[in-house]
Amino acid sequence: MNILTFSATIFIAAAGAGFLGALTGLGGGVVLVPVLALLFHVDIRYAMGASLIAVLATSSGAGAAFIESGFLNLRIGIFLEMAAVAGAIIGATLATVTPGSIIGIVFGVVLILSAYFSFRPGDHSRFTRASHSWAIKLKLEGTYPTAQGWASYPIFRVPLGLGIMGMAGLLSGLLGIGAGAAKVLAMDRALGLPYKVSTATSNFMIGITAAAGAAVYFAHGNVEPGLAMPVVLGVLAGAFIGARLMPRVRSRHLRILFSLVILGLGIEMLYNGLHGGL
Amino acid sequence: MTREDFIGNLLRYGLLIATSLVALGASLYLYRHGLDPIHYKVFVRQLHYGREITNVFHLALDQSGVGRGLILLGLWLLLILQVARVALTAWIFKVEKDAIFAGFSVIVLALLLFSLLLNYL
């Protein structure tokens, strides 16, 4: 295959991933690496480099779109980012010395867990206590727009949220993904934030986390510009259209379908990791 | 302008410039090398491209590699954009006289700069 045909094919695949990722809120980056590595037989280190750079682009776009929406909590974002960036540096450094087969196994497990959690919505009814003492001291609590006007929300279990965020950063650097699902997990389940606040803040954060990993990837020569080009442009175009359509499309069935795709890719990654196919 | 507008505009225009560079580089790269066979299946460390930003500029100015050089410049810009928005966040918290969160932002900024320099020390 020549570079032109290959780039066009990758552009379309990446646009599909970005489109479905934005439409379902599950993020497109997580399917990019398996698609590139398993379907197109790209070296997994190149695939991770291209995917992480694409995360920088989509997070910047989402950040620009979300920041004026009122859902973003900048204080929580920057507070948790300390743990995420530290985790990302460790993860990306580990990635440079970890064999592809191990990366494949971890990747497979993460994909299967992502699919599992996407089927289980968070339960906020148990959060009836007052905010965690750190949240009060640091004034992390915020307000967000609802149908009944602006509502304030309490914040729980800050140390746990910080810990999960460090793990999310580690996975982002280790696997070349945004790890948005793990970030939403930390904010939605641990801190108990409203779902829309979690997703807006996560979208804003993933680019900053990914930057730490991307810096390490650049330095180790994992970024091949010819491959990153159609991936970045494709994901961005797909995500842009997906985000525009999101308010008008009932995405429940799509979400289930996309979760099944993630599950399938997870099993495939795990299999290839175990059998040395990566 | 509110603090959110500042960050929003930085991201919007930064992304626009970066993707324009990538798209321009892509057209040149495909024009010159579109019919070459792909070479992404075998990993070769892209050190002479990624390792130093000055090399990226040299590459962008070099006739034979101008397409890849411009793409790489755009990709680097996407990375620098994230550093810039953390710096802007730090500055905003400082203006709001919020010393603790300005400090948190500076810690994130320092970690990002560390990750950029880590492999060159």
Side-chain angles (χ1 to χ4, degrees), chain A:
Chain A
M1 203 188 285
N2 67 34
I3 289 179
L4 190 63
T5 330
F6 183 80
S7 300
T9 317
I10 295 289
F11 179 87
I12 292 164
F19 179 76
L20 285 175
L23 207 56
T24 56
L26 297 174
V30 80
V31 301
L32 268 176
V33 177
V35 165
L36 286 172
L38 300 173
L39 248 60
F40 294 97
H41 305 288
V42 168
D43 186 282
I44 193 162
R45 282 161 291 189
Y46 283 160
M48 287 158 60
S51 156
L52 202 57
I53 302 273
V55 170
L56 299 177
T58 48
S59 171
S60 302
F66 272 115
I67 196 154
E68 286 134 24
S69 68
F71 290 111
L72 177 78
N73 187 325
L74 194 59
R75 299 171 78 84
I76 289 183
I78 212 74
F79 175 69
L80 296 175
E81 205 47 47
M82 289 189 287
V85 170
I89 297 173
I90 297 168
T93 307
L94 278 175
T96 61
V97 293
T98 308
S101 56
I102 308 277
I103 302 245
I105 293 167
V106 178
F107 217 121
V109 172
V110 167
L111 285 171
I112 292 164
L113 284 177
S114 304
Y116 170 74
F117 277 111
S118 75
F119 281 114
R120 287 187 40 149
D123 173 21
H124 285 210
S125 60
R126 64 190 183 281
F127 294 126
T128 47
R129 314 180 306 274
S131 285
H132 189 268
S133 63
W134 292 12
I136 296 166
K137 265 185 213 137
L138 294 169
K139 301 193 194 73
L140 290 175
E141 295 153 301
T143 55
Y144 73 115
T146 66
Q148 290 82 36
W150 289 81
S152 60
Y153 49 85
I155 290 163
F156 312 98
R157 301 186 292 197
V158 178
L160 179 66
L162 211 53
I164 300 178
M165 204 54 81
M167 280 302 296
L170 191 107
L171 289 176
S172 168
L174 182 66
L175 306 178
I177 58 175
K183 284 195 165 71
V184 171
L185 190 70
M187 287 188 273
D188 181 50
R189 311 282 165 94
L191 300 180
L193 297 183
Y195 194 71
K196 282 195 163 178
V197 176
S198 298
T199 48
T201 308
S202 161
N203 273 321
F204 183 77
M205 290 174 67
I206 58 174
I208 300 170
T209 314
V216 177
Y217 283 12
F218 262 123
H220 282 84
N222 291 15
V223 179
E224 156 60 59
L227 173 70
M229 165 267 285
V231 173
V232 170
L233 296 178
V235 171
L236 207 53
F240 187 77
I241 299 167
R244 287 276 156 115
L245 285 181
M246 192 162 70
R248 279 179 282 157
V249 174
R250 284 174 46 162
S251 62
R252 208 179 139 263
H253 291 101
L254 259 179
R255 200 181 151 87
I256 293 170
L257 185 75
F258 196 51
S259 300
L260 291 174
V261 171
I262 291 175
L263 182 68
L265 287 170
I267 294 166
E268 192 71 21
M269 269 315 247
L270 195 59
Y271 178 84
N272 277 277
L274 290 171
H275 289 79
L278 288 165

Side-chain angles (χ1 to χ4, degrees), chain B residues 61 65 73 84 86 96 101 112-114:
Chain B
L61 293 171
L73 209 56
V86 176
E96 292 177 349
F101 276 78
L112 282 182
L113 294 175
F114 173 72

